[in-house]
Amino acid sequence: MSGETKGAKMSRRRADSESSLGPNDEVMPYSDDETDDELEETSDGEAEEPQEPAHPREETRPPEIGWKVKANDRAYHQLPEFKKKVFLCIKKSRYSGNAIKTYKYNALTFLPLNLYEQFKRVANIYFLALLILQIIPDIATLPWYTTLIPLVIVLGITAIKDLVDDLARHRMDKEVNNRKCEVLLDGRFKESKWMDIQVGDVVRLKKNDFIPADILLLSSSNPNSLCYVETAELDGETNLKFKMGLRQTDEGLQEEQELAQFNALIECEEPNNRLDKFTGMMLWKSERYPLELDNILLRGCKIRNTDYCHGLVIFAGADTKIMRNGGKTRFKRTKIDELMNYMVYTIFVMLVLVSAGLAIGHSFWYEDIGSKAWYLFDGKGQTTSYRGFLSFWGYIIVLNTMVPISLYVSVEVIRLGQSKFINWDLQMYYSEKDTPAK
């Protein structure tokens, strides 16, 4: 880039040949998993692609447009009109920072949230209720710690496993947020962390760089501002796709000084999870230019076969399309959990029926024998029905082993072991990049 003079730069013209819009097989071979039919479809699609008009077209702004981005102006996005209410009179900017968060817990929320999640399991609720019953003197038939110790062990093992998983998410988030990227600050490109990138920043990406946010492609080292990207993290496809900047930005935004003076206003759709759609308009030098998905580089993609490119951050962090598709990290319930809950429901119904039968039998026995035996007299003066009611809960405690709490321990150990075997699987290890399964 430094060897290109300004005069040579101004002579750049959009290539007229349709072949320049497609990847060069000698420079960028297609992936092995791309079939001949796919290649024919790609070439046909490129041949039918309409040429960009020589002059900007005036278009009616779509009704969903409500997002404004000012290039090289961080203060613009902090104006009161772009604030949203969070709680009561507390407001914050509607524009997210570029730091991401995929973990579920922090130091304050781990204990309450993890316990809340674990007590969604019916067996845990059952043993908690059983522990409460064992504290009542008139009902208790076994010491309360006989239930407390197994319950604490089960909850502890699951909590440790969840903590290890969440710490891995913390490490991964930290690694991603601390990646480096060149950002235009104070008229010069400076190395900055991903987490410090803001909406409206101009960034420079180089070959094999991951795209840190959803950015508008302004210019690149290729003719026509073509930029080849790998979208494997978005759609799983390994064949490259190309994006293309506008002719006006391609011809006028190559040098660092010109990029520093870039002051366009972008009006586009609100952040959403549509990977196949983008609608917007760029207002620059009193002219309006329509924007579409082919002008946008999405976060999660990787720059390929392009020495460098420049872009304007449109959506950052949680507002990017890849993060909108992921959403918040949800608590997952597996089919095994649902099956075990159903089994516990069934066993509990059987336990209630057995305890009810025994309590009824105890009432008849006490009425005929127990109340008349002087050696069984306890001086409490309780009626037969009340004694039957207390004995029902006593039998629930005595027969609590019908509900297999050890089953949950076994399942947690199996899950932990299976996850380790997946990480250790040599057939899922990619030696070229030293990448194991996770």
Side-chain angles (χ1 to χ4, degrees):
M1 180 174 63
S2 59
E4 182 180 11
T5 64
K6 188 173 182 179
K9 182 269 304 175
M10 292 301 295
S11 63
R12 289 169 58 95
R13 294 292 182 268
R14 310 283 282 191
D16 295 330
S17 62
E18 295 174 356
S19 61
S20 65
L21 297 178
N24 186 349
D25 291 349
E26 296 180 358
V27 178
M28 183 197 66
Y30 289 90
S31 60
D32 295 337
D33 60 343
E34 194 168 21
T35 63
D36 293 337
D37 295 337
E38 290 173 334
L39 294 176
E40 292 176 2
E41 293 176 1
T42 304
S43 60
D44 292 340
E46 293 170 0
E48 296 174 359
E49 184 177 350
Q51 295 291 330
E52 186 181 351
H55 301 286
R57 294 182 289 109
E58 292 287 341
E59 289 191 359
T60 304
R61 189 170 68 179
E64 68 270 16
I65 285 180
W67 191 262
K68 293 184 179 181
V69 177
K70 187 76 174 290
N72 290 314
D73 192 351
R74 289 186 170 183
Y76 175 81
H77 306 100
Q78 301 299 325
L79 294 175
E81 61 183 289
F82 300 125
K83 300 285 186 178
K84 62 179 181 180
K85 184 181 294 186
V86 179
F87 178 73
L88 297 178
C89 60
I90 301 175
K91 295 183 178 181
K92 71 173 185 177
S93 175
R94 66 188 296 202
Y95 299 96
S96 296
N98 202 42
I100 62 169
K101 185 185 75 171
T102 61
Y103 56 84
K104 295 189 291 186
Y105 313 112
N106 57 38
L108 296 177
T109 62
F110 172 72
L111 190 59
L113 283 183
N114 189 260
L115 289 177
Y116 169 75
E117 175 63 18
Q118 291 202 59
F119 278 108
K120 286 184 177 180
R121 295 175 177 173
V122 180
N124 291 340
I125 297 178
Y126 166 74
F127 280 101
L128 179 63
L130 195 65
L131 179 62
I132 296 174
L133 290 177
Q134 288 180 308
I135 298 176
I136 303 175
D138 288 342
I139 298 177
T141 54
L142 294 173
W144 56 270
Y145 52 80
T146 58
T147 299
L148 177 63
I149 293 176
L151 181 61
V152 170
I153 292 175
V154 171
L155 296 179
I157 292 176
T158 305
I160 292 173
K161 182 184 71 70
D162 292 342
L163 179 61
V164 171
D165 292 342
D166 211 55
L167 288 176
R169 294 190 187 97
H170 275 271
R171 288 192 295 269
M172 189 173 297
D173 289 347
K174 184 177 180 180
E175 177 187 346
V176 171
N177 291 331
N178 285 284
R179 287 178 179 174
K180 303 294 184 180
C181 178
E182 291 186 88
V183 182
L184 189 62
L185 298 172
D186 301 324
R188 297 183 59 188
F189 279 106
K190 300 178 181 179
E191 193 175 72
S192 178
K193 296 179 180 180
W194 278 25
M195 67 172 67
D196 298 327
I197 296 175
Q198 297 183 20
V199 172
D201 286 349
V202 174
V203 299
R204 179 165 64 193
L205 304 174
K206 298 179 180 178
K207 186 177 180 180
N208 296 328
D209 282 351
F210 282 101
I211 300 173
D214 291 351
I215 67 177
L216 170 65
L217 178 61
L218 300 177
S219 60
S220 75
S221 57
N222 294 333
N224 303 329
S225 275
L226 286 177
C227 181
Y228 300 105
V229 295
E230 179 184 292
T231 61
E233 289 197 15
L234 289 179
D235 51 22
E237 296 184 8
T238 55
N239 56 306
L240 305 187
K241 299 179 176 62
F242 68 88
K243 302 291 183 176
M244 184 170 59
L246 298 177
R247 175 175 60 85
Q248 292 75 15
T249 59
D250 174 41
E251 295 176 354
L253 298 176
Q254 290 291 334
E255 298 293 335
E256 189 177 79
Q257 182 179 359
E258 293 171 333
L259 288 164
Q261 297 174 354
F262 183 54
N263 61 350
L265 177 65
I266 310 298
E267 296 180 341
C268 63
E269 61 189 17
E270 296 279 349
N272 58 71
N273 63 351
R274 291 287 301 274
L275 296 174
D276 58 346
K277 175 181 176 292
F278 180 83
T279 306
M281 193 78 64
M282 181 177 73
L283 177 61
W284 187 38
K285 296 181 179 179
S286 302
E287 298 288 349
R288 299 178 72 88
Y289 305 95
L291 304 175
E292 54 187 12
L293 186 63
D294 288 339
N295 309 129
I296 302 297
L297 303 178
L298 298 180
R299 177 176 179 138
C301 298
K302 196 172 187 178
I303 303 296
R304 293 289 195 185
N305 292 52
T306 304
D307 292 334
Y308 66 86
C309 66
H310 302 112
L312 174 67
V313 177
I314 304 295
F315 304 125
D319 292 332
T320 57
K321 291 184 179 292
I322 187 174
M323 295 302 295
R324 286 272 175 164
N325 276 278
K328 295 183 178 180
T329 304
R330 299 188 301 271
F331 296 106
K332 298 179 181 179
R333 293 263 65 86
T334 64
K335 293 293 184 182
I336 293 180
D337 286 331
E338 295 177 1
L339 176 61
M340 289 195 298
N341 283 346
Y342 175 76
M343 293 170 58
V344 170
Y345 284 135
T346 305
I347 294 173
F348 183 72
V349 170
M350 295 175 58
L351 174 62
V352 170
L353 293 177
V354 171
S355 298
L358 292 173
I360 293 173
H362 173 77
S363 299
F364 281 109
W365 172 87
Y366 185 80
E367 181 69 24
D368 295 338
I369 301 174
S371 60
K372 300 176 182 178
W374 60 268
Y375 52 88
L376 296 177
F377 180 74
D378 54 11
K380 293 183 178 180
Q382 297 171 338
T383 62
T384 302
S385 58
Y386 184 68
R387 288 180 179 272
F389 173 76
L390 293 179
S391 64
F392 168 78
W393 296 108
Y395 285 121
I396 290 285
I397 296 173
V398 171
L399 302 176
N400 71 84
T401 52
M402 290 181 63
V403 179
I405 190 172
S406 59
L407 177 64
Y408 286 89
V409 179
S410 302
V411 170
E412 292 300 331
V413 172
I414 291 171
R415 283 176 177 167
L416 181 61
Q418 287 179 335
S419 66
K420 293 301 180 183
F421 281 126
I422 291 174
N423 293 342
W424 297 336
D425 194 341
L426 293 178
Q427 294 182 352
M428 299 178 70
Y429 172 71
Y430 188 51
S431 57
E432 294 183 11
K433 293 187 178 181
D434 190 26
T435 304
K438 293 185 179 180

